[in-house]
Amino acid sequence: MKIQKTIKINASAEKVWEVLWGDYGQVCKWASTVNSSDYREVQGSNNGGRACMSTWGEIHEIVENLDIENKTYTYYADGLPAIMKSAKNTWKVLQKGVNTSEVSIDLDIEFATIPKIFMGWMIVPKMKKDVNQTLADLKYFIETGKLTEAKIKSDQKYFKKKGQKAA
């Protein structure tokens, strides 16, 4: 399954890049699909990765390519849920105007055969919804400095289950 999406954000590419790459380990600050995350040094990767507790479970990402000058990075997921064989994602930020940028995501996921056969009708729409929500979360966070309602609710649910208070 391939998902490619692009959104416009009313902010400079530098500001967007600072959130996406400069604070890479803290995606949990703004993405409703990620409730906790941290940067990790990864053997064999010059750029490290991150561990995320997401709505799909615990996922470890390893940065495969990083191009700071062109504001793009690609990571692949390790330790995926059993329903997925592989996942690779590329983020790219382009300056479009003085205070306008474009953010694109290029996600490629290969699902395990049996889960895809029996649960594909649920998995694919959820994945598309999650990508759309993540981009909406990013846009709202950068433009307003606030969290979306989806992020607030996601954290409340996650931390209630954990017996902790949401940030």
Side-chain angles (χ1 to χ4, degrees):
M1 178 178 90
K2 200 155 183 59
I3 299 175
Q4 295 174 314
K5 291 280 182 180
T6 301
I7 61 165
K8 279 193 177 170
I9 296 180
N10 295 318
S12 70
E14 286 74 26
K15 184 175 180 180
V16 175
W17 184 247
E18 181 56 35
V19 171
L20 283 177
W21 180 251
D23 210 8
Y24 175 76
Q26 294 301 306
V27 65
C28 64
K29 285 182 180 178
W30 55 268
S32 59
T33 56
V34 181
N35 300 108
S36 72
S37 61
D38 61 73
Y39 176 81
R40 301 275 169 97
E41 294 290 329
V42 177
Q43 189 173 353
S45 171
N46 294 332
N47 304 301
R50 64 184 167 202
C52 300
M53 185 53 71
S54 76
T55 55
W56 294 88
E58 186 171 356
I59 296 176
H60 295 254
E61 300 169 355
I62 300 168
V63 179
E64 184 176 72
N65 294 310
L66 170 64
D67 184 342
I68 292 173
E69 187 176 322
N70 291 307
K71 295 176 180 56
T72 184
Y73 65 88
T74 301
Y75 61 83
Y76 65 92
D78 189 30
L80 290 165
I83 61 170
M84 297 178 201
K85 280 186 172 181
S86 66
K88 190 175 194 174
N89 191 20
T90 300
W91 286 87
K92 184 169 185 133
V93 182
L94 294 171
Q95 188 73 39
K96 287 299 196 178
V98 176
N99 280 316
T100 307
S101 56
E102 197 173 79
V103 177
S104 63
I105 188 170
D106 186 357
L107 178 63
D108 194 2
I109 298 174
E110 182 181 359
F111 291 104
T113 305
I114 300 299
K116 186 175 181 181
I117 291 170
F118 291 108
M119 297 170 32
W121 62 274
M122 282 187 337
I123 297 169
V124 172
K126 180 181 177 357
M127 185 61 66
K128 288 179 179 179
K129 180 182 175 198
D130 285 354
V131 167
N132 288 333
Q133 184 60 56
T134 299
L135 289 170
D137 293 338
L138 176 67
K139 178 179 175 64
Y140 193 75
F141 181 74
I142 290 173
E143 291 180 355
T144 69
K146 298 176 184 175
L147 304 177
T148 60
E149 278 298 313
K151 172 63 175 163
I152 293 167
K153 287 178 184 176
S154 176
D155 279 354
Q156 286 172 341
K157 182 179 175 184
Y158 174 79
F159 289 108
K160 183 178 181 182
K161 202 184 281 188
K162 290 283 199 191
Q164 302 170 342
K165 274 188 126 178

